Every structure is written in C-alpha cells, then in structure tokens.
Amino acid sequence: AQKVTQAQTEISVVEKEDVTLDCVYETRDTTYYLFWYKQPPSGELVFLIRRNSFDEQNEISGRYSWNFQKSTSSFNFTITASQVVDSAVYFCALSDPTNQAGTALIFGKGTTLSVSS
Amino acid sequence: GAVVSQHPSWVICKSGTSVKIECRSLDFQATTMFWYRQFPKQSLMLMATSNEGSKATYEQGVEKDKFLINHASLTLSTLTVTSAHPEDSSFYICSARDFGPPVGYTFGSGTRLTVV
C-alpha cells in the first residue's frame, strides 16, 4: 500500500533560518508522482511542486528547493532564509498516475511550520 | 490553468439538516473527482472517489448513505451531508484529476462546515 510519512509534526524557526521538511514515501509502483502543498490558515491548498519518479534532479525555485532521493524514498523540502509568510502547514503527497481510473493523492500528516520574527 | 470552483466556502447548519457542497471544473472536463475531509490540525483524508455517470467509491469507514456524492456531468460533482450532526463539522475539499500534460490535481478552495 502507498504511504507518506512526515515525521515532523511541528517546526518553529526564527526568520532567516533555513528549514528542511522531511517526507518519506512507500510505494510498490515504479511510476509515481510526488507533490508538496502549502496550506495557509485560509485552508486552500497551494501547489508547490510535482516530481515524477523518473526525474531525480533536485529543483530550486527561489527560496524553495527539493531533494528527491529514490534510494531512500525521500522527497525533502528546504526553505532558505525563512520568512513569516512561510508559516503554514506543508503536506507531502503521493499518487500513481498510471491508474487511468484516477488514483487520489495520498497525503502525509503534514508539518506545521511557524516562523517568528 | 485548471480551476475547480467549490461552493459554499463556509456553511453553518442546524443538526439534522442536510447540506450540499458543489465542485465545478471551470475549464476542463473532470472525469474523476475526489472528496476529502480534514479535521482541525489533521491531514486530508480521502472520503470517496466519484466518476462521472457512475456510483462513487467510498473509503472504508465512510458512510455512503450519509455522504451522498453525485457526479452527473463532466464538470460538476456534489457532496451532500445528510442529517448532519456536530461531529460532521469539518473542512471538506474536492479535487479533480487533470490528466495534463503534465498530470496534476486541482483542488477546490474548500468548505468549512459547522453543525450546531
């Protein structure tokens, strides 16, 4: 069965600190997608990144970077020079795109990030 | 990009009444939609998968007679919480599978249901 583990329930940092959110996944599929979403207090999910299982290149987008390692089944997310606006709940999620019936995303339990000024 | 419109954003209802939540895909055809429930400080838990023109598939532990899902068209899926009780108070969010490219999932903005 597919599973996503976010071991860090809550993280508190001070502005300008770097922070890494961990994500470990389990799947028997060779083809799959991994996602990260941000959920601010308003509740709406904000898409951050999608990565397919065949692309292990790390990605950087501004202050955000992602480290995908299939060998350890991990897809970690780093925020550099954190800001108060980064405070939110972050979810890692997994899907199987080969299922044409449309497999739902499986979410981790989320990590609540609090950035103080 | 793909947009899913979810209404209402929030609703307060009396115990015993029914509430309908709508999700519309605005610029693409959503053959499959997913309904999630999220309790405070918890993750999104999949309730059911709805496919256009057929019966929804419910996850284990979700009462299908209580949470009625209708996906009558390629752009509209509805979730009706029947005979709502305070324990049904939660954040409900829908998602549509967008087959892309690239493959993705588009989420509605969510509905915060409070049953009093």
Side-chain angles (χ1 to χ4, degrees), chain A residues 4-8 11 20-25 33-39 45-51 64-68 74-79 89-94 105-112, chain B residues 107:
Chain A
V4 176
T5 301
Q6 294 180 257
Q8 305 150 307
I11 300 176
T20 295
L21 309 182
D22 298 333
C23 173
V24 174
Y25 63 93
Y33 277 81
L34 293 161
F35 297 77
W36 274 95
Y37 289 89
K38 174 182 180 180
Q39 187 178 43
L45 286 176
V46 178
F47 167 78
L48 296 178
I49 191 171
R50 170 195 309 110
R51 171 68 71 222
Y64 295 169
S65 62
W66 290 269
N67 185 337
F68 177 30
S74 65
F75 187 41
N76 297 337
F77 171 34
T78 297
I79 301 175
V89 181
Y90 291 85
F91 289 100
C92 180
L94 169 70
L105 281 178
I106 304 301
F107 286 86
K109 292 189 175 181
T111 297
T112 300
Chain B
F107 285 85

Side-chain angles (χ1 to χ4, degrees), chain B residues 50-67:
Chain B
S50 76
N51 293 295
E52 184 267 337
S54 62
K55 289 184 178 180
T57 302
Y58 291 82
E59 295 300 299
Q60 193 171 8
V62 178
E63 301 173 59
K64 59 183 178 183
D65 294 331
K66 180 171 188 59
F67 299 100

Side-chain angles (χ1 to χ4, degrees), chain A residues 35 37 39 41-45 50 91 95 97 99-105 107-109, chain B residues 32 34 36 38 42-44 46 49 51 91 93 97 99 102-105 107-109 112:
Chain A
F35 297 77
Y37 289 89
Q39 187 178 43
S42 62
E44 191 164 351
L45 286 176
R50 170 195 309 110
F91 289 100
S95 79
N99 183 339
Q100 290 304 306
T103 303
L105 281 178
F107 286 86
K109 292 189 175 181
Chain B
T32 302
F34 309 99
Y36 292 85
Q38 185 182 29
Q42 294 189 23
S43 186
L44 285 80
L46 180 66
T49 301
N51 293 295
F91 188 65
I93 190 164
R97 175 80 179 267
F99 285 90
V103 169
Y105 295 79
F107 285 85
S109 54
R112 200 165 298 279

